[in-house]
Amino acid sequence: MRASERHASLPLGHAARDAVLEYFSMVFHEALNVAVQPDFESDVASSPSLEAVSMIGPDLCALGESWAPFVAPWCISLLKDIATNKSNFSNSTLQNSDPIRVLLDIATQNLTLLKADERAKCIDMLLGCSQCDWVIGHLGRVEPSLVVPRALQLGLESPQHGIEHAVAIVSHLPPTHSQHIREALTYMFHEALKDDNKMDKKRDIIPYLLSLASKSDTVLKALTQNIEEILTDGVVERLIQISPLMRNIPSWEGVGPSSLVALLIRADIKTFMLLLRHAKRNIFCRQLLEYLLQKLEYECLFPEKKIPLLSSAADDIGMVREAVLTGNQLQQYSLARILVLVNINLDSERFQNFINMGVENALRDSMKSDLMIKDCFIGGSPPEDQKTYLHHFCLNMVKLLRWENSNKVSHLRNRPISKACEANLFKLGCAFNDTISLLRVTKPCTMSSLPEMPTCHAIADMLDRVDMSGAKAPPPSVEAVMKVVQASVKYFFRCLHEKDDLTKIQGTQTACRLLRKLCLHSKLARAIALRELLETAMFREEEVFGSKPVLAAQGAQEWGKDDLLIHLNQKHGPITQLTQSHTSVFHAGIIGKGVRKEASTDTDSIPLILTTNIELLMGALMSCMDGNGGTVEGMTSVSLLLVELVSPDVMYNGLPWPDEDFTKQVSIERELYMRGALEGCAVARAALRRAASCRPALCYASALLRAVAATLLHRHRAADDRYTRPSDMRREQVAMGELLETMTLGQLLPHPLHHMSELMSNLTASEDSIGGTHRLASHQQHTQIH
């Protein structure tokens, strides 16, 4: 006979019913003892109790409503006894056993057949047992509206053990029941805020909810889900009213900034945005916001920790970015700190674009702020230690780059700051160029009226810490490289004007490092850098190096009506007509003024500070020549540039030596101009000496050497002229000695002629011509052929 048929034939007396259920209890206990044994699989076939359980379960589930009021309490009581007696076993072991699964099915199906008050009594039977959390959690899947509110009330009824029991029950509920949890928590929260005569009974609800949320992520998530609907402005005002009244109650001692910050760290970004909104009007919220940001910064020092708030901000990065761009000052400041923490705490590669955009916006805003009128300047001059906004921006970036390059900050090992600077290299170059420009107009009563060199030093220091060679990242664009090269050259010359020697040396060294990094892999950058350095040194900053202007400014000459040209020419003595040239005339003086007068001061000597500037310039030129063929190729470019800058018609700039017919038309005035340009330009002479040390770079400047040699030999042949002064001849001998030393250094003279400069005073003009100019011309032709 089947079990259901036997149960149906049983009398309805209490004794018989209880005896049958007691017997079933014994069967389940015996079956569970077998099921939880280690050798359970081998005892299945030999255990009649397990077979009986498989038959009893369906029968008790199918008895219907008449038996439900008896079966449900019996099953609940049996589960409670098992959970208590088998507490030494894990919950998973008990739940996975066949007898427990059968009992849970019996309980859930019979509970649905009971009335509401009967179901509540069955649930209350389990709520009093701390070992039955997994049972209540399973039953809560069927009756969430009944189980969840009663489970969450346990902590209020029994503060010592109720919170742990409630947390354990909630942890066994499925995620689909989060809405029921949220509704129950919201109801409890609003009940606690009601202004009625039951405040004494409800004063512990808010501390209890916070304590519950601190121990359960499920409860915290339920509380913070759509939190803006819960914490409205009216609710916040009510909290502000009752908080001072509850401050001295023992249960409210834990409701402080530290506990709230601990909850906010585990919340989502929407909760943080709500705190930002209320922080604008409430001082406690502002204090809590600052505590939270400081706690986040501290937690980010431990990379192994995962911070839910930052993870949520990363997931909703679009919302955060929108708030940064459109929010008030407090929101922008706080969310900017959040974004920084997001990038250093999480995968920075994922948010590198936002870092790049942040650096770009900060650079733009700092430059814009420097042009705005500031209140502190209206009443007078700014303080001496006042820095521009761009200076502050650069100092902050330098500090971040220093941390990044130290390899001691684990969050910066992916080079997020350097990548952001490299992505904005063109804009940084523009800022550098605008700040260092000599022609920049500064507006009064603005940040731009402050000294610009400290800002220039800060920008240069920042760029010096950025990789621009393409070794660690994609190479920068051509436009960015060109902009930084031009700004670096301007910065170099501005540093030469620094009064402090240490600042001057540090600045020029920084400029040289920038030029070296930029020219290392770019021939175009090197060509532009060399040209800018030489042109600026020779034509715009010649006074810094002790040079004279290439073209002396001559005032307008007042000519008399009776002054004839033939009379003016006769003041210079006999006219010297060059051989085979009808267009060249060499005068020993200035037309209209007669013979040149001897200068009253010695202008050939150069102060020590100017020679130091020349050496710094030579170092800058050499810094552009690392790589891409080395210094030989670089000095070859320098030689060609010198010919182009000094020669008026760029005649021999890399071109073959012209034929004899063309050289007949070359006038001595052209060669005198070239020699005057070289004698007046200390930079050009120093560059020629530096080119001589890198053979065969000096050969490409042979046109300059030939012009100097030709004029010197012509003057040497005219040594006996009655208009020649001893001081002029001494100057000519010094110039001839310098020319011969340069040619010797460049190995343009054979070894027997290396000491010609020492014998020059004892040689005739013809001997000098044979040993010098002819040798130079032949070597020049040989170089061009090869």
Side-chain angles (χ1 to χ4, degrees), residues 35 64 244 314 348 436 463 484 491 493 510 588 622 628 655 691 749 758 761:
S348 59
I436 203 64
L463 291 174
V484 178
Y491 173 68
F493 287 104
T510 302
M622 297 302 295
N628 288 333
L655 300 176
L749 296 178
E758 300 176 4
S761 58

Side-chain angles (χ1 to χ4, degrees), residues 333-353:
Y333 170 75
S334 303
L335 290 174
R337 293 172 66 178
I338 288 291
L339 286 176
V340 172
L341 296 176
V342 166
N343 287 279
I344 67 176
N345 186 259
L346 301 176
D347 184 12
S348 59
E349 294 293 338
R350 178 182 176 187
F351 307 104
Q352 187 62 48
N353 291 334

Side-chain angles (χ1 to χ4, degrees), residues 137 168 396 442:
N396 293 335
T442 59

Side-chain angles (χ1 to χ4, degrees), residues 225-260:
Q225 184 182 6
N226 298 327
I227 192 172
E228 63 274 3
E229 299 177 2
I230 300 177
L231 290 179
T232 59
D233 293 342
V235 171
V236 173
E237 292 295 332
R238 177 59 179 164
L239 282 172
I240 295 174
Q241 294 176 2
I242 67 174
S243 294
L245 302 176
M246 303 294 181
R247 187 173 299 168
N248 297 325
I249 299 177
S251 60
W252 279 71
E253 292 180 356
V255 184
S258 58
S259 60
L260 294 176

Side-chain angles (χ1 to χ4, degrees), residues 27 114 135 424 621 637 684 693 739 774 785:
V27 173
L114 296 178
V135 181
N424 293 280
L621 289 173
S637 301
S693 62
L739 172 65
H774 291 180
I785 292 174

